[in-house]
Amino acid sequence: MPTIATDGIAEDKIRHPTKKLTISEEVAIEMVAVHKWYGEFHVLKDINLTVNAGERIVICGPSGSGKSTLIRCINRLEEHQKGKIVVDGVELTSNLKNVEIIRSEVGIVFQQFNLFPHLTVLENCSLAPIWVRKMRKAEAEEIAMKYLERVRIPEQAAKYPGQLSGGQQQRVAIARSLCMNPRIMLFDEPTSALDPEMIKEVLDVMVELAESGMTMLCVTHEMGFATAVANRVIFMDFGEIIEQNEPHNFFNNPQSERTKLFLSQILHH
Amino acid sequence: MSDTAKTYKIGQHPDLPPPRTEVGVLGWFKHKLFSTPLNIALTLLAAWFLWSVIPPLFEWIVLDSVWTAESRKECWGKMEVPEGGACWAFIKDRLELFIYGFYPAPQRWRVNLSFVLLIMAIVPVLYDKMLARKFGLWYSVAFPFIAGWLLVGGFGLTPVETDQFGGIMLTLIIGVTGISFSLPIGVLLALGRRSKMPVLRIVCVMFIEFIRGVPLIALLFIASTMLNYFLPPGTVFDLLLRVLIMVTLFSSAYIAEVVRGGLQAIPNGQFEAADSLGLTYVKAHLLIILPQALKISIPGIVNTFIGLFKDTTLVLIIGMLDPLGIGRASLADAVWAGLAREVYLFIALFFFICCFSMSRYSLYLERKLHTGH
Amino acid sequence: MAVISENGANTRNLITRLWSNRETRSVIIQIVTLTVIFATLAFIFRNVVINLDARGKEFNFDFLFHPAAYDITFSPFIEYSSRSTHLRAAVVGILNTLLVAACGIVLATLLGFIMGILRLSSNWIVNRTVYCFLEFTRNVPVLLHILFVHGLIVIQLPVPKKAVNLADSFFLTNRGFFIPKPVWESGSGLVAVVLLISIAFVVLFKRWAKKAQDSTGRVYPVLGISTGVIVGATALAFLAADMPLSWNIPELRGFNFSGGIAIKPEFIALWLALSYYTSSFIAEIVRGGILAISHGQTEAAHALGLRPNRTLQLIIIPQALRVIVPPLASQYLNLTKNSSLAIAIGYMDVVATVGGITLMQTGKEMETMIIVLLTYLVFSLIISGFMNLYNKKMALVER
């Protein structure tokens, strides 16, 4: 049986798991029989997934398995072509109003940060509150500073993204999403583009976020993080959800052969 | 009932074909032509535009055109509607003039031979996997001098006056000379501009910025009117040679900027590594820096050449007969006058074919460079 | 300095030592360069003096104040007659260069941006049509375009008697385009004042809206309100002042039109040809500039809930401009320099007046060419000066 390598991340969190946090019965995301194709390539096959408010889900799987596409469908950065996706009671259709509502309720953090290089860190964070939430500038900046403090880089507020390290940039990206006060946060491999010593600072921020009760969907291979905060781990392969389970059982007692193979590959490399 | 509604065992869901409206001809139409109301409007507008332009143009150029006639009158007489088609007989009649200018007919084999030699000189420059490329490159360097001798004559060949040069041949002479001599000068200027010696740097910057700041036509005027003042009295100086010097200086300033871009792209580590090996400035540049910088600069150099090639038409303003000049002169001929469209279209096509293929080549090189690193 | 030899070595030794020292070597090279350059200049100067003397010419600019004795048919800004001085002819030439360059820059930018954006369209047929036009235009010499358009106007358009008549007020002929000339009557001052006031209002409103957004968070539709105010207020004033505008419509008199504004075929040909030729390069720059912004920027903006128009305004355009503006400026400079081809169709720009007829009449090759070169150098210095300022202001801050 593979043992779980935690990479020293949040080990205290493992001893005092955060899973005790209550998960409400309220449904945050519902995906029913979702299909998607890129051209002829069938990338998502019959995805059925229900996420309750407050749930923290880690999605893993080999590259090309459709996991990024799955979460990008949730705020319609990708369009699904069949099936139904309902986020916070609003169905995603080609109706632009619905898309707008959902996007301001769902935050996403990208692998490549995608900070706006021509704006300062503070402006990056206050942009959407000002233009989407129609907030006063002072208020928006106050909120931005609050979240910048929360991700522990308030002193970088006046700098430009290009002046920061990768880890700092990713934390700004998280703060930027949080400034919209989202109900759901999506993470698309947030630590994959980072140097090893910077992964921890980003994961720490994500762990804190999880403890605050945020609904989170996270595509990541950081198994330490999964054990520490997730209450469900989903394994995807070839565009399908192969297996889902709570982390302890998922890691120690995988059901399918493909999951076993995948776990053995990432845990003993 | 569609396939996607069936249930499959977990992990065994097969790849299904996408909905029919998403791919294939239908999907293509939906996404590429009719995706939004704006796109539908644009599609209809473009289709209407093409429909009203292409068929008449095709009729004029191909269907209703006349290929054999002795004069414009005869040409138009052969058409159902006078002027309803192109009179290509005119171009056919003047084709030799367009190619050779007034180069004496018995000597034209020399032009043809130079052209063949030119192609042989280009091959080693373009194909880096050629056999014995080193010798090929030496030949490429020698080519302008060989061609010069062939075309001008002397040393056993009948001399031909340069004012008899014209047409496409003149375009190629100016273009090829301009680019091959401006390359070394441009490289030196670029190195000078990056030099740490203030005097050298300032001189190069002033030269480059002066040339880039004034139009080529002004430099050609200088060549045709002023250059004789600069030389010792009594020096007789061929007009073509003066033009070639000016064109070379002109394009060397542009080449210098392209090469400077290439030099800037070389990481500092390369200079440091060359220094640490104990190479002198000259050796470091010849062996390490320039081969890399020039390779990056080739697309830019090709683009400069395209610009230069198009600019050769300006010599008609100082009275030389490039294809455009020949065309204008032919239009003055009473037998054919009034066929400006045919002439301009023919010359435009010539330049388009040359320049478009060169720009494709430079694009291909750019892509190769991007993937190669 | 390490130049002084300790044991009094001979001269040869001294030179090798000087040469092998990095600093002294650089000094030697620079002195040699300077010497060569000055020697060349001195040689040229000597030749010029001898040559001028041999031809009985002097180097001076006195001719500028002599009567030019030639006509310039196109001088929209200042009075000019054949009795005016060469200096005045030069000024007319420079103004004409500026006019065609300015008009060309405006039209080329407009066409270039439209075609650049159409090239980004997912619409296949539009994309391909524009692509074909752009590739054909940019791979054919600009001189050919100029001659072609000029030929189209002069040969293909009818004589004034059979002019192409658009709504009885616009006439296209081979002698030029004739368009109505606005004649402002009393009361038009009021309209002008209202227009100025509304522009001032819009400027203030923009500032106020920014402040209001900062303090209350409300976003005002600035663009809509601004256009509304300028157009609306001016139109109201125009009506209130009893429409103080009439048109002087060109009329056929004998063999030509009189009245209205006559735009010479040379100007139209040069303007149109330069514009569409340059726009084919600008389109590529615009397309490249927008493509240079990674797709991630758009995604991030959308994911934050910004609408497409706001994404364009706040994220895409500010970043694309940094990439677009510097090469755009060099295209503007190219257009200005290419306007010198005016001489091929007889548009009287600075090259055609000073460098053409004045040169031929006075035989002052040196002086006239110096004026022409200086004119273009000043243009290019101004444009590149602005560019450097812009680049300094806009440079992205990075580690």
Side-chain angles (χ1 to χ4, degrees):
Chain A
M1 276 294 112
T3 50
I4 301 142
T6 53
D7 299 341
I9 295 152
E11 272 175 53
D12 49 333
K13 305 277 163 23
I14 297 171
R15 282 192 295 277
H16 313 284
T18 51
K19 289 164 218 155
K20 279 178 244 152
L21 274 168
T22 48
I23 299 162
S24 74
E25 293 298 305
E26 190 192 338
V27 174
I29 302 168
E30 190 176 17
M31 302 177 95
V32 182
V34 171
H35 288 262
K36 176 169 177 61
W37 289 263
Y38 286 133
E40 294 282 345
F41 178 56
H42 201 169
V43 60
L44 290 183
K45 300 168 183 164
D46 196 23
I47 300 290
N48 291 288
L49 177 68
T50 308
V51 181
N52 287 341
E55 256 198 294
R56 296 167 302 280
I57 294 177
V58 163
I59 304 171
C60 59
S63 66
S65 59
K67 49 197 195 308
S68 283
T69 311
L70 174 75
I71 68 164
R72 287 158 61 89
C73 277
I74 293 172
N75 65 349
R76 212 174 176 80
L77 290 177
E78 305 281 356
E79 251 174 73
H80 61 284
Q81 286 141 338
K82 252 191 170 164
K84 195 167 95 167
I85 302 180
V86 180
V87 180
D88 243 356
V90 182
E91 186 179 351
L92 271 173
T93 56
S94 50
N95 183 343
L96 290 176
K97 265 263 142 354
N98 287 1
V99 176
E100 247 170 59
I101 294 170
I102 286 166
R103 280 181 176 166
S104 61
E105 298 297 329
V106 180
I108 184 165
V109 175
F110 300 93
Q111 183 179 358
Q112 298 295 341
F113 328 138
N114 290 341
L115 292 178
F116 306 127
H118 63 302
L119 303 176
T120 62
V121 165
L122 188 64
E123 286 166 338
N124 261 286
C125 293
S126 60
L127 181 86
I130 289 176
W131 289 95
V132 181
R133 292 263 189 260
K134 313 266 194 275
M135 251 181 228
R136 287 185 291 118
K137 192 178 175 192
E139 192 186 343
E141 285 179 351
E142 203 180 299
I143 290 175
M145 283 313 292
K146 182 179 116 192
Y147 285 109
L148 284 175
E149 267 161 37
R150 197 159 150 192
V151 299
R152 291 188 284 277
I153 36 173
E155 71 283 359
Q156 311 285 4
K159 288 197 182 162
Y160 285 89
Q163 295 169 292
L164 305 183
S165 73
Q168 288 171 324
Q169 290 195 46
Q170 194 59 297
R171 283 187 281 153
V172 173
I174 295 174
R176 179 175 72 176
S177 287
L178 291 178
C179 285
M180 286 295 284
N181 198 14
R183 323 236 334 224
I184 300 163
M185 281 289 284
L186 309 173
F187 293 84
D188 188 1
E189 306 206 26
T191 54
S192 301
L194 295 177
D195 292 335
E197 76 271 20
M198 293 170 181
I199 292 176
K200 185 177 179 325
E201 63 187 57
V202 172
L203 286 182
D204 284 349
V205 168
M206 289 168 62
V207 168
E208 272 178 42
L209 194 61
E211 286 174 334
S212 73
M214 174 72 74
T215 314
M216 286 167 71
L217 265 84
C218 188
V219 173
T220 184
H221 291 160
E222 295 296 333
M223 290 309 144
F225 171 79
T227 336
V229 302
N231 30 28
R232 200 168 4 144
V233 180
I234 292 178
F235 174 71
M236 282 186 75
D237 200 5
F238 294 111
E240 274 185 276
I241 295 180
I242 302 289
E243 183 169 347
Q244 42 182 321
N245 211 334
E246 60 89 23
H248 184 78
N249 282 340
F250 179 84
F251 289 118
N252 295 320
N253 189 17
Q255 301 297 309
S256 91
E257 283 309 310
R258 276 196 248 172
T259 318
K260 281 178 197 160
L261 182 68
F262 175 74
L263 284 176
S264 72
Q265 275 164 351
I266 64 163
L267 295 177
H268 307 283
H269 34 105
Chain B
M1 195 141 206
S2 72
D3 273 356
T4 46
K6 278 188 206 156
T7 45
Y8 296 93
K9 243 172 107 184
I10 287 174
Q12 315 215 322
H13 200 296
D15 285 345
L16 296 175
R20 259 192 306 156
T21 53
E22 295 300 317
V23 285
V25 180
L26 218 60
W28 188 85
F29 271 93
K30 181 181 159 193
H31 288 291
K32 300 280 178 171
L33 294 178
F34 302 106
S35 56
T36 61
L38 177 71
N39 257 337
I40 294 172
L42 280 175
T43 302
L44 294 179
L45 200 71
W48 170 80
F49 171 78
L50 291 179
W51 180 248
S52 57
V53 167
I54 290 178
L57 212 58
F58 184 72
E59 251 170 47
W60 186 79
I61 294 176
V62 182
L63 295 183
D64 295 347
S65 61
V66 173
W67 288 78
T68 43
E70 292 298 315
S71 70
R72 182 200 54 188
K73 262 194 175 158
E74 194 192 331
C75 227
W76 286 357
K78 282 185 173 181
M79 295 168 196
E80 288 166 28
V81 193
E83 297 192 57
C87 177
W88 297 121
F90 175 34
I91 304 293
K92 251 172 82 185
D93 187 58
R94 296 300 168 103
L95 195 59
E96 297 218 321
L97 208 55
F98 274 117
I99 297 174
Y100 302 105
F102 295 98
Y103 207 85
Q107 306 292 335
R108 282 182 186 164
W109 61 270
R110 281 152 59 177
V111 181
N112 297 339
L113 180 60
S114 309
F115 186 69
V116 173
L117 291 178
L118 168 67
I119 291 173
M120 284 163 57
I122 292 174
V123 171
V125 179
L126 299 192
Y127 290 102
D128 43 7
K129 290 190 187 84
M130 199 182 95
L131 273 175
R133 184 167 183 235
K134 208 168 173 190
F135 297 104
L137 285 175
W138 280 116
Y139 162 68
S140 304
V141 171
F143 166 76
F145 301 98
I146 301 172
W149 169 65
L150 260 177
L151 293 173
V152 179
F155 303 105
L157 285 171
T158 328
V160 177
E161 291 295 321
T162 56
D163 54 6
Q164 291 177 309
F165 288 14
I168 290 171
M169 162 196 165
L170 185 65
T171 301
L172 287 176
I173 290 176
I174 299 175
V176 171
T177 317
I179 208 70
S180 45
F181 286 95
S182 65
L183 200 58
I185 302 177
V187 169
L188 289 179
L189 282 171
L191 289 175
R193 193 169 183 166
R194 281 172 59 90
S195 158
K196 291 191 185 77
M197 301 178 216
V199 171
L200 270 186
R201 194 172 59 234
I202 291 168
V203 168
C204 291
V205 168
M206 277 172 61
F207 179 83
I208 294 172
E209 292 307 323
F210 169 77
I211 297 279
R212 281 160 43 91
V214 299
L216 176 59
I217 192 68
L219 294 177
L220 290 179
F221 272 143
I222 291 177
S224 69
T225 62
M226 243 165 92
L227 214 55
N228 278 344
Y229 283 95
F230 293 166
L231 300 166
T235 330
V236 185
F237 211 160
D238 187 76
L239 177 63
L240 178 63
L241 193 55
R242 279 181 277 166
V243 167
L244 287 179
I245 291 174
M246 275 306 175
V247 166
T248 305
L249 292 181
F250 180 75
S251 54
S252 67
Y254 287 83
I255 296 274
E257 286 302 277
V258 171
V259 174
R260 185 166 72 115
L263 286 171
Q264 272 167 350
I266 304 292
N268 236 345
Q270 293 292 313
F271 292 89
E272 285 165 6
D275 277 349
S276 71
L277 288 175
L279 295 174
T280 61
Y281 177 89
V282 175
K283 276 190 184 148
H285 275 81
L286 281 181
L287 298 174
I288 313 284
I289 308 299
L290 281 177
Q292 298 183 57
L294 284 179
K295 194 173 175 192
I296 307 174
S297 315
I298 289 177
I301 292 172
V302 175
N303 283 339
T304 311
F305 183 66
I306 295 173
L308 178 68
F309 197 74
K310 287 187 291 177
D311 277 347
T312 55
T313 49
L314 303 202
V315 296
L316 93 87
I317 292 175
I318 55 165
M320 299 180 86
L321 292 170
D322 79 311
L324 200 49
I326 298 270
R328 301 255 287 171
S330 308
L331 284 176
D333 180 351
V335 181
W336 293 107
L339 299 174
R341 285 175 296 190
E342 284 86 343
V343 171
Y344 289 148
L345 191 65
F346 169 69
I347 301 169
L349 230 75
F350 163 69
F351 277 102
F352 175 75
I353 291 170
C354 295
C355 298
F356 183 70
S357 41
M358 284 191 278
S359 76
R360 288 282 103 181
Y361 177 71
S362 106
L363 257 174
Y364 154 79
L365 282 181
E366 252 171 80
R367 293 215 182 104
K368 206 168 96 174
L369 275 179
H370 276 298
T371 49
H373 285 278
Chain C
M1 286 276 120
V3 263
I4 302 147
S5 57
E6 288 162 39
N7 43 13
N10 56 31
T11 351
R12 195 191 150 117
N13 202 341
L14 181 68
I15 290 174
T16 27
R17 274 167 156 272
L18 284 176
W19 186 245
S20 55
N21 178 298
R22 189 180 266 266
E23 275 148 38
T24 46
R25 184 195 295 196
S26 117
V27 171
I28 293 172
I29 293 178
Q30 298 192 50
I31 290 174
V32 170
T33 319
L34 270 186
T35 320
V36 169
I37 286 172
F38 277 114
T40 319
L41 288 180
F43 180 66
I44 289 177
F45 185 73
R46 167 188 161 273
N47 291 337
V48 167
V49 170
I50 295 174
N51 283 320
L52 282 175
D53 204 41
R55 284 168 222 199
K57 288 181 181 176
E58 276 178 50
F59 182 84
N60 59 42
F61 287 91
D62 292 349
F63 70 96
L64 282 177
F65 305 101
H66 300 166
Y70 62 89
D71 280 319
I72 297 178
T73 50
F74 188 76
S75 171
F77 298 110
I78 58 174
E79 286 294 317
Y80 177 87
S81 75
S82 58
R83 263 174 292 169
S84 307
T85 57
H86 283 297
L87 180 64
R88 209 170 175 84
V91 174
V92 170
I94 292 173
L95 286 176
N96 281 349
T97 295
L98 280 178
L99 174 72
V100 79
C103 293
I105 284 172
V106 171
L107 186 60
T109 311
L110 203 69
L111 287 176
F113 272 75
I114 292 174
M115 290 195 289
I117 290 165
L118 286 181
R119 273 287 276 132
L120 290 167
S121 151
S122 60
N123 190 315
W124 182 85
I125 189 169
V126 169
N127 197 326
R128 286 287 106 178
T129 309
V130 176
Y131 171 78
C132 289
F133 174 78
L134 291 180
E135 283 299 336
F136 187 77
T137 308
R138 44 195 271 143
N139 284 309
V140 169
V142 61
L143 183 58
L144 188 58
H145 287 301
I146 295 173
L147 291 175
F148 176 71
V149 177
H150 187 243
L152 269 189
I153 294 173
V154 174
I155 301 171
Q156 301 294 318
L157 281 180
V159 295
K161 277 202 157 183
K162 296 174 182 168
V164 177
N165 184 337
L166 302 174
D168 268 337
S169 33
F170 296 85
F171 300 94
L172 315 184
T173 78
N174 63 0
R175 300 262 194 101
F177 294 0
F178 297 87
I179 61 172
K181 184 180 183 179
V183 181
W184 297 101
E185 289 153 11
S186 65
S188 54
L190 175 73
V191 181
V193 169
V194 169
L195 178 66
L196 285 180
I197 291 176
S198 56
I199 289 174
F201 170 79
V202 162
V203 172
L204 291 178
F205 171 69
K206 249 182 114 173
R207 273 195 212 160
W208 176 83
K210 175 90 183 64
K211 265 196 194 147
Q213 186 185 1
D214 287 354
S215 56
T216 68
R218 257 198 86 179
V219 181
Y220 293 88
V222 175
L223 189 68
I225 292 182
S226 302
T227 349
V229 165
I230 292 182
V231 173
T234 316
L236 273 180
F238 184 72
L239 289 175
D242 211 16
M243 299 198 247
L245 170 71
S246 64
W247 296 96
N248 180 352
I249 293 169
E251 262 180 276
L252 189 64
R253 294 258 171 79
F255 291 109
N256 209 343
F257 281 87
S258 67
I261 299 175
I263 310 175
K264 292 276 164 201
E266 295 81 37
F267 174 79
I268 297 169
L270 190 63
W271 175 47
L272 293 182
L274 284 179
S275 302
Y276 76 71
Y277 178 75
T278 311
S279 75
S280 69
F281 292 88
I282 293 179
E284 213 41 38
I285 292 170
V286 169
R287 173 169 168 266
I290 294 176
L291 283 181
I293 303 163
S294 74
H295 187 55
Q297 292 287 309
T298 320
E299 280 193 341
H302 284 166
L304 286 170
L306 288 173
R307 291 193 190 152
N309 60 340
R310 294 282 178 221
T311 306
L312 213 60
Q313 174 201 344
L314 299 169
I315 307 300
I316 309 292
I317 290 176
Q319 291 188 59
L321 279 187
R322 283 165 212 269
V323 188
I324 290 172
V325 169
L328 192 63
S330 100
Q331 284 306 323
Y332 288 168
L333 195 60
N334 280 348
L335 188 146
T336 312
K337 286 190 286 175
N338 280 337
S339 73
S340 61
L341 298 179
I343 196 168
I345 53 168
Y347 175 75
M348 298 303 264
D349 77 327
V350 64
V351 176
T353 55
V354 184
I357 306 179
T358 296
L359 184 153
M360 236 128 39
Q361 288 192 351
T362 60
K364 296 276 192 187
E365 292 97 343
M366 309 277 272
E367 296 86 338
T368 49
M369 286 326 292
I370 287 174
I371 294 175
V372 170
L373 292 180
L374 278 182
T375 309
Y376 284 103
L377 281 180
V378 168
F379 291 158
S380 77
L381 279 181
I382 291 173
I383 291 186
S384 52
F386 273 115
M387 245 334 67
N388 287 342
L389 274 181
Y390 178 87
N391 283 341
K392 266 204 193 113
K393 206 177 147 214
M394 285 299 173
L396 273 188
V397 186
E398 287 191 19
R399 291 182 121 182

